[in-house]
Each structure stands twice: as structure tokens, then as C-alpha cells.
PDB file of all heavy atoms in Angstrom:
ATOM      1  N   ALA B   1     -14.270 -24.118  44.763  1.00 83.00           N
ATOM      2  CA  ALA B   1     -14.351 -25.595  44.762  1.00 83.00           C
ATOM      3  C   ALA B   1     -15.318 -26.065  43.709  1.00 83.00           C
ATOM      4  O   ALA B   1     -16.348 -25.520  43.516  1.00 83.00           O
ATOM      5  CB  ALA B   1     -14.810 -26.017  46.225  1.00 83.00           C
ATOM      6  N   GLU B   2     -14.754 -27.043  43.047  1.00 86.00           N
ATOM      7  CA  GLU B   2     -15.586 -27.836  42.046  1.00 86.00           C
ATOM      8  C   GLU B   2     -15.905 -29.038  42.458  1.00 86.00           C
ATOM      9  O   GLU B   2     -15.092 -29.857  43.023  1.00 86.00           O
ATOM     10  CB  GLU B   2     -14.929 -27.907  40.574  1.00 86.00           C
ATOM     11  CG  GLU B   2     -14.673 -26.567  40.000  1.00 86.00           C
ATOM     12  CD  GLU B   2     -15.893 -26.234  39.168  1.00 86.00           C
ATOM     13  OE1 GLU B   2     -16.714 -26.992  38.883  1.00 86.00           O
ATOM     14  OE2 GLU B   2     -16.002 -24.984  38.787  1.00 86.00           O
ATOM     15  N   LYS B   3     -17.171 -29.522  42.204  1.00 87.00           N
ATOM     16  CA  LYS B   3     -17.756 -30.879  42.509  1.00 87.00           C
ATOM     17  C   LYS B   3     -17.577 -31.762  41.265  1.00 87.00           C
ATOM     18  O   LYS B   3     -18.159 -31.363  40.169  1.00 87.00           O
ATOM     19  CB  LYS B   3     -19.141 -30.855  42.956  1.00 87.00           C
ATOM     20  CG  LYS B   3     -19.689 -32.162  43.297  1.00 87.00           C
ATOM     21  CD  LYS B   3     -21.257 -31.987  43.743  1.00 87.00           C
ATOM     22  CE  LYS B   3     -21.882 -33.416  43.826  1.00 87.00           C
ATOM     23  NZ  LYS B   3     -23.312 -33.267  44.195  1.00 87.00           N
ATOM     24  N   ALA B   4     -16.862 -32.758  41.334  1.00 89.00           N
ATOM     25  CA  ALA B   4     -16.802 -33.722  40.161  1.00 89.00           C
ATOM     26  C   ALA B   4     -17.915 -34.675  40.209  1.00 89.00           C
ATOM     27  O   ALA B   4     -18.220 -35.442  41.048  1.00 89.00           O
ATOM     28  CB  ALA B   4     -15.521 -34.587  40.285  1.00 89.00           C
ATOM     29  N   THR B   5     -18.922 -34.261  39.381  1.00 86.00           N
ATOM     30  CA  THR B   5     -20.278 -34.983  39.281  1.00 86.00           C
ATOM     31  C   THR B   5     -20.258 -36.390  38.605  1.00 86.00           C
ATOM     32  O   THR B   5     -21.173 -37.065  38.851  1.00 86.00           O
ATOM     33  CB  THR B   5     -21.282 -34.081  38.562  1.00 86.00           C
ATOM     34  OG1 THR B   5     -20.848 -33.777  37.250  1.00 86.00           O
ATOM     35  CG2 THR B   5     -21.533 -32.787  39.328  1.00 86.00           C
ATOM     36  N   SER B   6     -19.182 -36.636  37.888  1.00 89.00           N
ATOM     37  CA  SER B   6     -19.148 -37.955  37.172  1.00 89.00           C
ATOM     38  C   SER B   6     -17.576 -38.213  36.877  1.00 89.00           C
ATOM     39  O   SER B   6     -16.722 -37.405  37.148  1.00 89.00           O
ATOM     40  CB  SER B   6     -19.831 -37.896  35.820  1.00 89.00           C
ATOM     41  OG  SER B   6     -19.247 -36.852  34.998  1.00 89.00           O
ATOM     42  N   ILE B   7     -17.434 -39.560  36.550  1.00 90.00           N
ATOM     43  CA  ILE B   7     -16.166 -39.913  36.046  1.00 90.00           C
ATOM     44  C   ILE B   7     -15.580 -38.941  34.959  1.00 90.00           C
ATOM     45  O   ILE B   7     -14.414 -38.496  34.933  1.00 90.00           O
ATOM     46  CB  ILE B   7     -16.079 -41.312  35.596  1.00 90.00           C
ATOM     47  CG1 ILE B   7     -16.402 -42.237  36.820  1.00 90.00           C
ATOM     48  CG2 ILE B   7     -14.707 -41.678  34.996  1.00 90.00           C
ATOM     49  CD1 ILE B   7     -16.606 -43.722  36.447  1.00 90.00           C
ATOM     50  N   ALA B   8     -16.515 -38.687  33.922  1.00 92.00           N
ATOM     51  CA  ALA B   8     -16.131 -37.832  32.830  1.00 92.00           C
ATOM     52  C   ALA B   8     -15.620 -36.280  33.355  1.00 92.00           C
ATOM     53  O   ALA B   8     -14.765 -35.775  32.939  1.00 92.00           O
ATOM     54  CB  ALA B   8     -17.222 -37.737  31.873  1.00 92.00           C
ATOM     55  N   SER B   9     -16.464 -35.835  34.277  1.00 92.00           N
ATOM     56  CA  SER B   9     -16.246 -34.474  34.754  1.00 92.00           C
ATOM     57  C   SER B   9     -14.904 -34.438  35.431  1.00 92.00           C
ATOM     58  O   SER B   9     -14.199 -33.336  35.430  1.00 92.00           O
ATOM     59  CB  SER B   9     -17.361 -33.961  35.569  1.00 92.00           C
ATOM     60  OG  SER B   9     -17.364 -34.696  36.891  1.00 92.00           O
ATOM     61  N   LEU B  10     -14.653 -35.492  36.333  1.00 93.00           N
ATOM     62  CA  LEU B  10     -13.302 -35.408  36.984  1.00 93.00           C
ATOM     63  C   LEU B  10     -12.177 -35.717  35.987  1.00 93.00           C
ATOM     64  O   LEU B  10     -11.115 -34.942  36.238  1.00 93.00           O
ATOM     65  CB  LEU B  10     -13.272 -36.678  38.001  1.00 93.00           C
ATOM     66  CG  LEU B  10     -11.911 -36.908  38.701  1.00 93.00           C
ATOM     67  CD1 LEU B  10     -11.612 -35.650  39.490  1.00 93.00           C
ATOM     68  CD2 LEU B  10     -11.961 -38.053  39.564  1.00 93.00           C
ATOM     69  N   LYS B  11     -12.385 -36.531  34.993  1.00 93.00           N
ATOM     70  CA  LYS B  11     -11.214 -36.444  33.891  1.00 93.00           C
ATOM     71  C   LYS B  11     -11.065 -35.196  33.167  1.00 93.00           C
ATOM     72  O   LYS B  11      -9.922 -34.859  32.983  1.00 93.00           O
ATOM     73  CB  LYS B  11     -11.762 -37.661  32.907  1.00 93.00           C
ATOM     74  CG  LYS B  11     -10.691 -37.972  31.964  1.00 93.00           C
ATOM     75  CD  LYS B  11     -11.163 -39.027  30.894  1.00 93.00           C
ATOM     76  CE  LYS B  11     -11.580 -40.306  31.606  1.00 93.00           C
ATOM     77  NZ  LYS B  11     -11.976 -41.330  30.550  1.00 93.00           N
ATOM     78  N   ARG B  12     -12.128 -34.507  33.039  1.00 93.00           N
ATOM     79  CA  ARG B  12     -12.042 -33.318  32.305  1.00 93.00           C
ATOM     80  C   ARG B  12     -11.394 -32.234  33.120  1.00 93.00           C
ATOM     81  O   ARG B  12     -10.465 -31.466  32.633  1.00 93.00           O
ATOM     82  CB  ARG B  12     -13.516 -32.702  31.994  1.00 93.00           C
ATOM     83  CG  ARG B  12     -13.527 -31.269  31.283  1.00 93.00           C
ATOM     84  CD  ARG B  12     -14.951 -30.835  31.005  1.00 93.00           C
ATOM     85  NE  ARG B  12     -15.840 -30.881  32.159  1.00 93.00           N
ATOM     86  CZ  ARG B  12     -15.782 -30.129  33.133  1.00 93.00           C
ATOM     87  NH1 ARG B  12     -15.023 -29.052  33.222  1.00 93.00           N
ATOM     88  NH2 ARG B  12     -16.706 -30.256  34.246  1.00 93.00           N
ATOM     89  N   LEU B  13     -11.585 -32.152  34.410  1.00 93.00           N
ATOM     90  CA  LEU B  13     -11.034 -31.251  35.213  1.00 93.00           C
ATOM     91  C   LEU B  13      -9.474 -31.495  35.413  1.00 93.00           C
ATOM     92  O   LEU B  13      -8.618 -30.578  35.381  1.00 93.00           O
ATOM     93  CB  LEU B  13     -11.568 -31.256  36.684  1.00 93.00           C
ATOM     94  CG  LEU B  13     -12.931 -30.667  36.913  1.00 93.00           C
ATOM     95  CD1 LEU B  13     -13.714 -31.019  38.116  1.00 93.00           C
ATOM     96  CD2 LEU B  13     -12.934 -29.144  36.825  1.00 93.00           C
ATOM     97  N   LEU B  14      -9.118 -32.724  35.551  1.00 93.00           N
ATOM     98  CA  LEU B  14      -7.693 -33.105  35.643  1.00 93.00           C
ATOM     99  C   LEU B  14      -6.991 -32.736  34.369  1.00 93.00           C
ATOM    100  O   LEU B  14      -5.823 -32.305  34.350  1.00 93.00           O
ATOM    101  CB  LEU B  14      -7.523 -34.560  35.999  1.00 93.00           C
ATOM    102  CG  LEU B  14      -7.978 -34.805  37.489  1.00 93.00           C
ATOM    103  CD1 LEU B  14      -7.900 -36.342  37.800  1.00 93.00           C
ATOM    104  CD2 LEU B  14      -7.058 -34.026  38.501  1.00 93.00           C
ATOM    105  N   LYS B  15      -7.635 -33.210  33.180  1.00 92.00           N
ATOM    106  CA  LYS B  15      -6.878 -32.978  32.015  1.00 92.00           C
ATOM    107  C   LYS B  15      -6.773 -31.546  31.544  1.00 92.00           C
ATOM    108  O   LYS B  15      -5.897 -31.218  30.877  1.00 92.00           O
ATOM    109  CB  LYS B  15      -7.698 -33.775  30.895  1.00 92.00           C
ATOM    110  CG  LYS B  15      -7.017 -34.208  29.612  1.00 92.00           C
ATOM    111  CD  LYS B  15      -7.772 -35.090  28.770  1.00 92.00           C
ATOM    112  CE  LYS B  15      -6.924 -35.490  27.469  1.00 92.00           C
ATOM    113  NZ  LYS B  15      -7.630 -36.490  26.743  1.00 92.00           N
ATOM    114  N   SER B  16      -7.772 -30.722  31.922  1.00 91.00           N
ATOM    115  CA  SER B  16      -7.696 -29.366  31.478  1.00 91.00           C
ATOM    116  C   SER B  16      -6.868 -28.538  32.521  1.00 91.00           C
ATOM    117  O   SER B  16      -6.738 -27.239  32.408  1.00 91.00           O
ATOM    118  CB  SER B  16      -9.143 -28.733  31.502  1.00 91.00           C
ATOM    119  OG  SER B  16      -9.671 -28.742  32.961  1.00 91.00           O
ATOM    120  N   ASP B  17      -6.215 -29.240  33.351  1.00 88.00           N
ATOM    121  CA  ASP B  17      -5.194 -28.513  34.352  1.00 88.00           C
ATOM    122  C   ASP B  17      -5.960 -27.540  35.237  1.00 88.00           C
ATOM    123  O   ASP B  17      -5.432 -26.431  35.568  1.00 88.00           O
ATOM    124  CB  ASP B  17      -4.146 -27.875  33.540  1.00 88.00           C
ATOM    125  CG  ASP B  17      -2.881 -27.790  34.333  1.00 88.00           C
ATOM    126  OD1 ASP B  17      -2.564 -28.807  35.227  1.00 88.00           O
ATOM    127  OD2 ASP B  17      -1.978 -26.983  34.163  1.00 88.00           O
ATOM    128  N   TYR B  18      -7.108 -27.872  35.667  1.00 91.00           N
ATOM    129  CA  TYR B  18      -7.838 -27.032  36.555  1.00 91.00           C
ATOM    130  C   TYR B  18      -7.042 -26.700  37.804  1.00 91.00           C
ATOM    131  O   TYR B  18      -6.548 -27.685  38.432  1.00 91.00           O
ATOM    132  CB  TYR B  18      -9.223 -27.601  37.008  1.00 91.00           C
ATOM    133  CG  TYR B  18      -9.997 -27.001  38.065  1.00 91.00           C
ATOM    134  CD1 TYR B  18     -10.695 -25.803  37.689  1.00 91.00           C
ATOM    135  CD2 TYR B  18      -9.935 -27.458  39.380  1.00 91.00           C
ATOM    136  CE1 TYR B  18     -11.420 -25.116  38.792  1.00 91.00           C
ATOM    137  CE2 TYR B  18     -10.662 -26.780  40.362  1.00 91.00           C
ATOM    138  CZ  TYR B  18     -11.349 -25.554  40.031  1.00 91.00           C
ATOM    139  OH  TYR B  18     -12.079 -25.049  40.973  1.00 91.00           O
ATOM    140  N   ARG B  19      -6.956 -25.475  38.251  1.00 92.00           N
ATOM    141  CA  ARG B  19      -6.340 -24.996  39.493  1.00 92.00           C
ATOM    142  C   ARG B  19      -7.463 -24.541  40.476  1.00 92.00           C
ATOM    143  O   ARG B  19      -8.284 -23.696  40.255  1.00 92.00           O
ATOM    144  CB  ARG B  19      -5.409 -23.827  39.221  1.00 92.00           C
ATOM    145  CG  ARG B  19      -4.439 -24.058  38.023  1.00 92.00           C
ATOM    146  CD  ARG B  19      -3.464 -25.290  38.336  1.00 92.00           C
ATOM    147  NE  ARG B  19      -2.544 -25.499  37.188  1.00 92.00           N
ATOM    148  CZ  ARG B  19      -1.282 -25.113  37.174  1.00 92.00           C
ATOM    149  NH1 ARG B  19      -0.719 -24.481  38.200  1.00 92.00           N
ATOM    150  NH2 ARG B  19      -0.537 -25.311  36.259  1.00 92.00           N
ATOM    151  N   GLY B  20      -7.400 -25.286  41.583  1.00 90.00           N
ATOM    152  CA  GLY B  20      -8.415 -24.979  42.673  1.00 90.00           C
ATOM    153  C   GLY B  20      -8.654 -26.204  43.400  1.00 90.00           C
ATOM    154  O   GLY B  20      -7.955 -27.089  43.430  1.00 90.00           O
ATOM    155  N   ILE B  21      -9.980 -26.300  44.120  1.00 93.00           N
ATOM    156  CA  ILE B  21     -10.193 -27.443  45.005  1.00 93.00           C
ATOM    157  C   ILE B  21     -11.293 -28.253  44.248  1.00 93.00           C
ATOM    158  O   ILE B  21     -12.267 -27.730  43.748  1.00 93.00           O
ATOM    159  CB  ILE B  21     -10.760 -26.878  46.303  1.00 93.00           C
ATOM    160  CG1 ILE B  21      -9.552 -26.245  47.095  1.00 93.00           C
ATOM    161  CG2 ILE B  21     -11.286 -28.052  47.180  1.00 93.00           C
ATOM    162  CD1 ILE B  21     -10.159 -25.493  48.344  1.00 93.00           C
ATOM    163  N   ILE B  22     -11.145 -29.596  44.177  1.00 93.00           N
ATOM    164  CA  ILE B  22     -11.998 -30.411  43.543  1.00 93.00           C
ATOM    165  C   ILE B  22     -12.472 -31.511  44.550  1.00 93.00           C
ATOM    166  O   ILE B  22     -11.738 -32.068  45.337  1.00 93.00           O
ATOM    167  CB  ILE B  22     -11.340 -31.254  42.435  1.00 93.00           C
ATOM    168  CG1 ILE B  22     -10.799 -30.354  41.248  1.00 93.00           C
ATOM    169  CG2 ILE B  22     -12.266 -32.327  41.749  1.00 93.00           C
ATOM    170  CD1 ILE B  22     -10.010 -31.066  40.280  1.00 93.00           C
ATOM    171  N   VAL B  23     -13.811 -31.593  44.742  1.00 91.00           N
ATOM    172  CA  VAL B  23     -14.487 -32.486  45.620  1.00 91.00           C
ATOM    173  C   VAL B  23     -14.958 -33.627  44.929  1.00 91.00           C
ATOM    174  O   VAL B  23     -15.633 -33.519  43.844  1.00 91.00           O
ATOM    175  CB  VAL B  23     -15.598 -31.907  46.490  1.00 91.00           C
ATOM    176  CG1 VAL B  23     -16.217 -32.993  47.435  1.00 91.00           C
ATOM    177  CG2 VAL B  23     -14.970 -30.641  47.211  1.00 91.00           C
ATOM    178  N   SER B  24     -14.483 -34.900  45.142  1.00 90.00           N
ATOM    179  CA  SER B  24     -14.941 -36.049  44.411  1.00 90.00           C
ATOM    180  C   SER B  24     -15.011 -37.184  45.276  1.00 90.00           C
ATOM    181  O   SER B  24     -14.517 -37.340  46.328  1.00 90.00           O
ATOM    182  CB  SER B  24     -13.866 -36.181  43.182  1.00 90.00           C
ATOM    183  OG  SER B  24     -14.197 -37.379  42.531  1.00 90.00           O
ATOM    184  N   MET B  25     -15.596 -38.237  44.597  1.00 86.00           N
ATOM    185  CA  MET B  25     -15.689 -39.566  45.282  1.00 86.00           C
ATOM    186  C   MET B  25     -14.473 -40.451  44.694  1.00 86.00           C
ATOM    187  O   MET B  25     -14.205 -40.319  43.623  1.00 86.00           O
ATOM    188  CB  MET B  25     -16.996 -40.299  45.144  1.00 86.00           C
ATOM    189  CG  MET B  25     -18.066 -39.460  46.013  1.00 86.00           C
ATOM    190  SD  MET B  25     -19.689 -40.368  45.850  1.00 86.00           S
ATOM    191  CE  MET B  25     -19.405 -41.945  46.554  1.00 86.00           C
ATOM    192  N   ILE B  26     -13.910 -41.234  45.558  1.00 84.00           N
ATOM    193  CA  ILE B  26     -12.703 -42.064  45.041  1.00 84.00           C
ATOM    194  C   ILE B  26     -13.181 -42.918  43.902  1.00 84.00           C
ATOM    195  O   ILE B  26     -12.278 -43.184  43.082  1.00 84.00           O
ATOM    196  CB  ILE B  26     -12.310 -42.862  46.269  1.00 84.00           C
ATOM    197  CG1 ILE B  26     -11.050 -43.645  45.971  1.00 84.00           C
ATOM    198  CG2 ILE B  26     -13.375 -43.894  46.933  1.00 84.00           C
ATOM    199  CD1 ILE B  26      -9.836 -42.841  45.852  1.00 84.00           C
ATOM    200  N   HIS B  27     -14.453 -43.498  43.826  1.00 84.00           N
ATOM    201  CA  HIS B  27     -14.697 -44.416  42.779  1.00 84.00           C
ATOM    202  C   HIS B  27     -14.656 -43.817  41.368  1.00 84.00           C
ATOM    203  O   HIS B  27     -14.733 -44.387  40.358  1.00 84.00           O
ATOM    204  CB  HIS B  27     -16.086 -45.013  43.042  1.00 84.00           C
ATOM    205  CG  HIS B  27     -17.242 -44.180  42.660  1.00 84.00           C
ATOM    206  ND1 HIS B  27     -17.920 -43.340  43.494  1.00 84.00           N
ATOM    207  CD2 HIS B  27     -17.757 -44.102  41.440  1.00 84.00           C
ATOM    208  CE1 HIS B  27     -18.933 -42.749  42.881  1.00 84.00           C
ATOM    209  NE2 HIS B  27     -18.872 -43.066  41.532  1.00 84.00           N
ATOM    210  N   LYS B  28     -14.675 -42.361  41.409  1.00 88.00           N
ATOM    211  CA  LYS B  28     -14.661 -41.646  40.060  1.00 88.00           C
ATOM    212  C   LYS B  28     -13.235 -41.853  39.331  1.00 88.00           C
ATOM    213  O   LYS B  28     -13.057 -41.394  38.173  1.00 88.00           O
ATOM    214  CB  LYS B  28     -14.997 -40.285  40.123  1.00 88.00           C
ATOM    215  CG  LYS B  28     -16.591 -40.108  40.559  1.00 88.00           C
ATOM    216  CD  LYS B  28     -16.934 -38.683  40.561  1.00 88.00           C
ATOM    217  CE  LYS B  28     -18.390 -38.523  40.676  1.00 88.00           C
ATOM    218  NZ  LYS B  28     -18.841 -38.577  42.091  1.00 88.00           N
ATOM    219  N   PHE B  29     -12.274 -42.393  40.113  1.00 88.00           N
ATOM    220  CA  PHE B  29     -11.017 -42.660  39.395  1.00 88.00           C
ATOM    221  C   PHE B  29     -10.991 -44.035  38.704  1.00 88.00           C
ATOM    222  O   PHE B  29      -9.959 -44.393  38.162  1.00 88.00           O
ATOM    223  CB  PHE B  29      -9.815 -42.727  40.477  1.00 88.00           C
ATOM    224  CG  PHE B  29      -9.271 -41.380  40.576  1.00 88.00           C
ATOM    225  CD1 PHE B  29      -9.751 -40.524  41.655  1.00 88.00           C
ATOM    226  CD2 PHE B  29      -8.222 -40.929  39.866  1.00 88.00           C
ATOM    227  CE1 PHE B  29      -9.345 -39.143  41.858  1.00 88.00           C
ATOM    228  CE2 PHE B  29      -7.727 -39.553  40.091  1.00 88.00           C
ATOM    229  CZ  PHE B  29      -8.250 -38.805  41.154  1.00 88.00           C
ATOM    230  N   HIS B  30     -12.104 -44.838  38.821  1.00 84.00           N
ATOM    231  CA  HIS B  30     -12.147 -46.039  38.056  1.00 84.00           C
ATOM    232  C   HIS B  30     -11.828 -45.835  36.638  1.00 84.00           C
ATOM    233  O   HIS B  30     -12.475 -45.110  35.883  1.00 84.00           O
ATOM    234  CB  HIS B  30     -13.662 -46.785  38.273  1.00 84.00           C
ATOM    235  CG  HIS B  30     -13.672 -48.096  37.713  1.00 84.00           C
ATOM    236  ND1 HIS B  30     -12.956 -49.237  38.205  1.00 84.00           N
ATOM    237  CD2 HIS B  30     -14.370 -48.517  36.592  1.00 84.00           C
ATOM    238  CE1 HIS B  30     -13.237 -50.285  37.493  1.00 84.00           C
ATOM    239  NE2 HIS B  30     -13.978 -49.852  36.471  1.00 84.00           N
ATOM    240  N   ASP B  31     -10.886 -46.704  36.071  1.00 85.00           N
ATOM    241  CA  ASP B  31     -10.544 -46.682  34.677  1.00 85.00           C
ATOM    242  C   ASP B  31      -9.958 -45.263  34.218  1.00 85.00           C
ATOM    243  O   ASP B  31      -9.947 -44.965  33.046  1.00 85.00           O
ATOM    244  CB  ASP B  31     -11.747 -47.020  33.694  1.00 85.00           C
ATOM    245  CG  ASP B  31     -11.887 -48.597  33.653  1.00 85.00           C
ATOM    246  OD1 ASP B  31     -10.944 -49.280  34.100  1.00 85.00           O
ATOM    247  OD2 ASP B  31     -13.018 -49.015  33.302  1.00 85.00           O
ATOM    248  N   MET B  32      -9.562 -44.464  35.164  1.00 90.00           N
ATOM    249  CA  MET B  32      -8.812 -43.305  34.822  1.00 90.00           C
ATOM    250  C   MET B  32      -7.544 -43.474  34.209  1.00 90.00           C
ATOM    251  O   MET B  32      -6.738 -44.336  34.536  1.00 90.00           O
ATOM    252  CB  MET B  32      -8.591 -42.355  36.125  1.00 90.00           C
ATOM    253  CG  MET B  32      -8.058 -40.922  35.935  1.00 90.00           C
ATOM    254  SD  MET B  32      -9.278 -39.833  35.148  1.00 90.00           S
ATOM    255  CE  MET B  32     -10.455 -39.631  36.582  1.00 90.00           C
ATOM    256  N   PRO B  33      -7.295 -42.856  33.014  1.00 90.00           N
ATOM    257  CA  PRO B  33      -5.952 -43.142  32.261  1.00 90.00           C
ATOM    258  C   PRO B  33      -4.867 -42.719  33.104  1.00 90.00           C
ATOM    259  O   PRO B  33      -4.824 -41.798  33.861  1.00 90.00           O
ATOM    260  CB  PRO B  33      -6.147 -42.166  31.091  1.00 90.00           C
ATOM    261  CG  PRO B  33      -7.632 -41.789  30.932  1.00 90.00           C
ATOM    262  CD  PRO B  33      -8.173 -41.804  32.286  1.00 90.00           C
ATOM    263  N   ALA B  34      -3.682 -43.450  32.931  1.00 93.00           N
ATOM    264  CA  ALA B  34      -2.499 -43.187  33.613  1.00 93.00           C
ATOM    265  C   ALA B  34      -1.906 -41.866  33.144  1.00 93.00           C
ATOM    266  O   ALA B  34      -2.167 -41.529  31.960  1.00 93.00           O
ATOM    267  CB  ALA B  34      -1.524 -44.286  33.357  1.00 93.00           C
ATOM    268  N   ASN B  35      -1.222 -41.088  34.096  1.00 94.00           N
ATOM    269  CA  ASN B  35      -0.540 -39.998  33.776  1.00 94.00           C
ATOM    270  C   ASN B  35      -1.464 -38.840  33.044  1.00 94.00           C
ATOM    271  O   ASN B  35      -0.971 -38.112  32.230  1.00 94.00           O
ATOM    272  CB  ASN B  35       0.691 -40.188  32.714  1.00 94.00           C
ATOM    273  CG  ASN B  35       1.630 -41.190  33.241  1.00 94.00           C
ATOM    274  OD1 ASN B  35       1.830 -41.206  34.517  1.00 94.00           O
ATOM    275  ND2 ASN B  35       2.167 -42.103  32.434  1.00 94.00           N
ATOM    276  N   ILE B  36      -2.564 -38.766  33.529  1.00 94.00           N
ATOM    277  CA  ILE B  36      -3.548 -37.659  33.077  1.00 94.00           C
ATOM    278  C   ILE B  36      -3.071 -36.391  33.355  1.00 94.00           C
ATOM    279  O   ILE B  36      -3.476 -35.367  32.750  1.00 94.00           O
ATOM    280  CB  ILE B  36      -4.959 -37.942  33.474  1.00 94.00           C
ATOM    281  CG1 ILE B  36      -5.919 -37.060  32.640  1.00 94.00           C
ATOM    282  CG2 ILE B  36      -5.115 -37.693  35.014  1.00 94.00           C
ATOM    283  CD1 ILE B  36      -7.408 -37.517  32.809  1.00 94.00           C
ATOM    284  N   ASN B  37      -2.364 -36.109  34.498  1.00 93.00           N
ATOM    285  CA  ASN B  37      -1.769 -34.944  34.834  1.00 93.00           C
ATOM    286  C   ASN B  37      -0.489 -35.154  35.541  1.00 93.00           C
ATOM    287  O   ASN B  37      -0.538 -35.896  36.578  1.00 93.00           O
ATOM    288  CB  ASN B  37      -2.751 -34.050  35.718  1.00 93.00           C
ATOM    289  CG  ASN B  37      -2.337 -32.687  35.769  1.00 93.00           C
ATOM    290  OD1 ASN B  37      -1.206 -32.387  36.004  1.00 93.00           O
ATOM    291  ND2 ASN B  37      -3.229 -31.769  35.567  1.00 93.00           N
ATOM    292  N   LEU B  38       0.655 -34.721  35.066  1.00 94.00           N
ATOM    293  CA  LEU B  38       1.929 -34.963  35.751  1.00 94.00           C
ATOM    294  C   LEU B  38       2.481 -33.834  36.598  1.00 94.00           C
ATOM    295  O   LEU B  38       3.645 -33.951  37.045  1.00 94.00           O
ATOM    296  CB  LEU B  38       2.948 -35.278  34.510  1.00 94.00           C
ATOM    297  CG  LEU B  38       2.585 -36.480  33.698  1.00 94.00           C
ATOM    298  CD1 LEU B  38       3.648 -36.584  32.554  1.00 94.00           C
ATOM    299  CD2 LEU B  38       2.590 -37.686  34.504  1.00 94.00           C
ATOM    300  N   ARG B  39       1.656 -32.866  36.944  1.00 92.00           N
ATOM    301  CA  ARG B  39       2.119 -31.802  37.819  1.00 92.00           C
ATOM    302  C   ARG B  39       2.426 -32.231  39.082  1.00 92.00           C
ATOM    303  O   ARG B  39       1.736 -33.203  39.649  1.00 92.00           O
ATOM    304  CB  ARG B  39       1.110 -30.660  37.846  1.00 92.00           C
ATOM    305  CG  ARG B  39       1.310 -29.509  36.866  1.00 92.00           C
ATOM    306  CD  ARG B  39       0.504 -28.385  37.201  1.00 92.00           C
ATOM    307  NE  ARG B  39      -0.969 -28.515  37.198  1.00 92.00           N
ATOM    308  CZ  ARG B  39      -1.791 -28.589  38.265  1.00 92.00           C
ATOM    309  NH1 ARG B  39      -1.158 -28.255  39.389  1.00 92.00           N
ATOM    310  NH2 ARG B  39      -3.040 -28.733  38.176  1.00 92.00           N
ATOM    311  N   LYS B  40       3.449 -31.622  39.747  1.00 94.00           N
ATOM    312  CA  LYS B  40       3.742 -31.937  41.169  1.00 94.00           C
ATOM    313  C   LYS B  40       2.918 -31.193  42.200  1.00 94.00           C
ATOM    314  O   LYS B  40       2.748 -31.789  43.226  1.00 94.00           O
ATOM    315  CB  LYS B  40       5.278 -31.656  41.447  1.00 94.00           C
ATOM    316  CG  LYS B  40       6.202 -32.509  40.608  1.00 94.00           C
ATOM    317  CD  LYS B  40       7.675 -32.228  41.069  1.00 94.00           C
ATOM    318  CE  LYS B  40       8.671 -33.019  40.436  1.00 94.00           C
ATOM    319  NZ  LYS B  40       9.997 -32.835  40.754  1.00 94.00           N
ATOM    320  N   ASN B  41       2.504 -30.135  41.783  1.00 94.00           N
ATOM    321  CA  ASN B  41       1.718 -29.332  42.810  1.00 94.00           C
ATOM    322  C   ASN B  41       0.140 -29.715  42.813  1.00 94.00           C
ATOM    323  O   ASN B  41      -0.706 -28.884  42.779  1.00 94.00           O
ATOM    324  CB  ASN B  41       1.805 -27.805  42.657  1.00 94.00           C
ATOM    325  CG  ASN B  41       1.356 -27.287  41.360  1.00 94.00           C
ATOM    326  OD1 ASN B  41       1.276 -27.996  40.427  1.00 94.00           O
ATOM    327  ND2 ASN B  41       1.121 -26.040  41.284  1.00 94.00           N
TER     328      ASN B  41
END
């Protein structure tokens, strides 16, 4: 499990296609780019 410590770290985890569990706060999606990861799983 990875902890998203900031908006930037959450963006990096999603963009890099990280596979695993991410723990984050909902507010870290503020201004997140659309379609940053299009996977279904």
C-alpha cells in the first residue's frame, strides 16, 4: 500500500500506472487532469 502524500504524488502514482493499493484523501483530486489513467481495473 502506498500513501499519496500530496496532489503531486497521487498524480504521479496514477500516471505511472502503479499497481497496488493507494491510500489518499479525496481533496488530492483537486485539479487532477482528465483521463490521467484509462484502465478499467
Side-chain angles (χ1 to χ4, degrees):
E2 287 280 342
K3 176 183 173 183
T5 56
S6 65
I7 294 174
S9 70
L10 177 59
K11 186 184 297 185
R12 174 181 52 79
L13 286 166
L14 291 174
K15 198 169 185 178
S16 67
D17 210 27
Y18 171 80
R19 308 297 178 104
I21 298 173
I22 301 171
V23 177
S24 177
M25 291 180 65
I26 184 72
H27 81 263
K28 293 188 173 78
F29 271 91
H30 183 71
D31 280 342
M32 186 72 68
N35 301 325
I36 193 168
N37 195 315
L38 298 176
R39 267 195 298 115
K40 291 185 177 180
N41 61 335

